[in-house]
Amino acid sequence: MTTSASVPTGSESAIAAGGTVTDRLVEANARYAEAFTDPGMDARPVLQVAVVACMDARLDLHAALGLELGDCHTIRNAGGVVTDDVIRSLTISQRKLGTRSVVLIHHTGCGLESLTEDFRNELEAEVGQRPAWAVESFRDVDQDVRQSMQRVRTSPFVPHTDDVRGFVFDVKTGLLREVDPAS
């Protein structure tokens, strides 16, 4: 596994020079672009799969699933929750870019397990405006995966719902555990 601590940043990294993390990322991109060649791919994923997962930094989806560049569409958000925007992305992925399968991945130790909808109240008190979005917190990761599978399967916009499967990624072992949608 590669971590940011093990990625060389060069002797003149932006952070060492008093720059920001974003400066470091832009420098890394410049080095990447020097050796970049167009892989000649289009936006259609080779494996015809869309993966919906949590944004948690501990999930290296490509490595964990044995995926290469161009294999899948990856849709990430807090909790890997199937929201209206995820349905939007899946609809475009299937209807315009050829995906047929959906893999949902939540994980152990998710930050959404410790939040409640009170977070929206706190934001409203702090900034003077209530967020339009739901926090989508949960206590039972398996049940949340089931709910996400159900949201995909019942969406009138997502046409291919016969291969929608949900999993929990264990952040301690790296293993996926499939969630039975009927339990």
Side-chain angles (χ1 to χ4, degrees):
M1 175 173 79
T2 302
T3 64
S4 59
S6 64
V7 175
T9 59
S11 59
E12 297 184 21
S13 76
I15 293 175
T20 66
V21 172
T22 304
D23 293 332
R24 175 181 157 196
L25 299 176
V26 171
E27 284 182 4
N29 175 257
R31 289 188 300 277
Y32 170 80
E34 288 172 4
F36 183 80
T37 57
D38 180 359
M41 299 175 182
D42 69 16
R44 294 176 179 272
V46 173
L47 298 179
Q48 297 182 323
V49 63
V51 177
V52 178
C54 185
M55 65 185 191
D56 192 293
R58 296 172 289 181
L59 277 66
D60 183 349
L61 292 174
H62 277 74
L65 301 174
L67 296 168
E68 299 292 331
L69 182 67
D71 281 349
C72 72
H73 284 157
T74 306
I75 305 161
R76 295 182 80 156
N77 68 17
V81 176
V82 175
T83 61
D84 286 346
D85 196 56
V86 168
I87 292 295
R88 171 187 159 272
S89 294
L90 288 173
T91 301
I92 294 166
S93 177
Q94 287 196 354
R95 291 183 178 268
K96 295 299 180 185
L97 298 167
T99 62
R100 296 295 177 261
S101 299
V102 178
V103 174
L104 305 170
I105 301 177
H106 288 35
H107 66 92
T108 59
C110 184
L112 283 186
E113 291 175 293
S114 63
L115 286 177
T116 67
E117 290 299 318
D118 286 339
F119 181 63
R120 294 173 70 208
N121 298 332
E122 295 165 10
L123 285 172
E124 182 177 21
E126 181 182 329
V127 303
Q129 182 177 343
R130 187 168 187 80
W133 39 263
V135 175
E136 297 275 359
S137 60
F138 55 87
R139 296 283 177 250
D140 181 337
V141 68
D142 286 42
Q143 184 54 36
D144 202 61
V145 170
R146 283 186 204 94
Q147 176 178 291
S148 289
M149 284 189 282
Q150 186 65 16
R151 285 179 177 173
V152 173
R153 288 183 174 136
T154 59
S155 172
F157 307 110
V158 180
H160 305 286
T161 59
D162 55 324
D163 189 17
V164 176
R165 294 170 63 185
F167 301 85
V168 175
F169 177 87
D170 188 313
V171 298
K172 302 280 189 216
T173 67
L175 290 173
L176 287 177
R177 176 179 51 77
E178 188 157 10
V179 175
D180 182 350
S183 292

